[in-house]
Amino acid sequence: MTVPPRVSIGVPVYNGERYLAETLRSLTALSGPAIEIVISDNGSTDTTEEICRSAAAVDERIQYHRSAVNRGAAWNYNRVLALARAPLFKWAAADDLCETDFVARCVDVLDAGGPATVLAYPQTTLIDETSAVVGTLDDADLDLRARRPSDRLGQLLRHRVEWHPVFGVIRTEVLRRTPGIGAYPSADISLLAELSLYGQFHQVPERLFLRRYHDERSIVAGPSFRQQAAWYDPHVRNRLVLPQARLTRELLAGVGRVPLPATERARSARMVLQRWAFPHWRHIGGEFKLAARDLVAR
């Protein structure tokens, strides 16, 4: 590339032929600052490779990397982050779309907010298999502008629907302080929680993200917790999965990693317990009961 990218867009994909070409057209049409598009193909067995190589041949901003085997979604999401060169980063799922001004508006917000703002994300429109609009999503409660880190975390943990800010534009340097996407279900929640302790989230008041709902989404194609865990990491396919217990532990671990004053760290840990663990205590208790039964059965 002749111009250094301001934003790296990471596209992790596995067998994404159904929507991938449309997604890449959406990304290459983005306005605003210079971008690079980093694709990581996680051992696809369909025509994903051909689609990616054809796109890269006509657009120098596209880099295509391929793994010989499927190492799981967590590995693939973190691989595109590791390959990114720009100071700002965005994940793009291989089935979603972006309006032309998505990146430009998010970068404007990050520039205006300065270092205190670590993430910017737009409002969401929901689309179906044919890209027809089927609804909208209200996630304005994830516009986290409180000065106090624990207040931002507490506000985030009240949210219960979708966690689309993970597909916003994020400061790369801050994102790399975290473990990235963990190899367990709902890892996007713990990642956003940790990012919220580093700085503010600002929502762009325009519907620029087109989130596709279809029957091949991972949570639909693999509805059980074990199937979801295997999507993140194929090596855990036959292991016992305690999703809510694991997520609570990871939320607390994130609080421990971020450099916070002792009083703020304690308040943030209390937010995890009050806003997440306590509201989900029945699920967590049920998971431990299932674990006990599983041990007895073995």
Side-chain angles (χ1 to χ4, degrees), residues 44-209:
S44 294
T45 57
D46 61 0
T47 61
T48 289
E49 181 174 5
E50 289 82 349
I51 293 170
C52 292
R53 293 194 184 280
S54 295
V58 297
D59 194 321
E60 65 174 1
R61 298 173 298 172
I62 298 176
Q63 305 168 31
Y64 175 65
H65 305 267
R66 177 176 171 82
S67 170
V69 296
N70 180 2
R71 302 187 184 185
W75 177 88
N76 214 23
Y77 268 72
N78 292 327
R79 187 188 191 203
V80 290
L81 174 59
L83 293 168
R85 299 180 297 150
L88 300 175
F89 179 83
K90 167 183 164 46
W91 275 300
D95 48 2
D96 295 332
L97 303 176
C98 298
E99 297 286 6
T100 305
D101 292 335
F102 184 122
V103 165
R105 291 290 292 116
C106 287
V107 171
D108 287 344
V109 167
L110 286 166
D111 287 345
T117 306
V118 300
L119 184 154
Y121 74 101
Q123 294 179 325
T124 301
T125 296
L126 306 177
I127 60 175
D128 64 11
E129 295 91 340
T130 66
S131 300
V133 174
V134 294
T136 58
L137 181 72
D138 181 10
D139 54 3
D141 58 335
L142 293 177
D143 186 71
L144 311 178
R145 305 203 185 198
R147 290 181 176 271
R148 197 170 184 176
S150 58
D151 287 341
R152 295 193 298 267
L153 177 63
Q155 181 180 338
L156 181 137
L157 293 178
R158 284 177 171 171
H159 187 74
R160 292 289 184 269
V161 189
E162 295 274 8
W163 303 84
H164 291 166
V166 77
F167 293 108
V169 179
I170 310 169
R171 296 194 187 278
T172 309
E173 184 269 332
V174 177
L175 184 53
R176 284 177 173 161
R177 296 180 201 169
T178 75
I181 296 293
Y184 51 88
S186 300
D188 52 343
I189 299 175
S190 58
L191 172 59
L192 289 173
E194 192 164 340
L195 286 172
S196 75
L197 295 174
Y198 280 110
Q200 298 177 346
F201 295 4
H202 287 204
Q203 185 185 65
V204 175
E206 300 159 34
R207 297 197 179 277
L208 305 175
F209 180 45

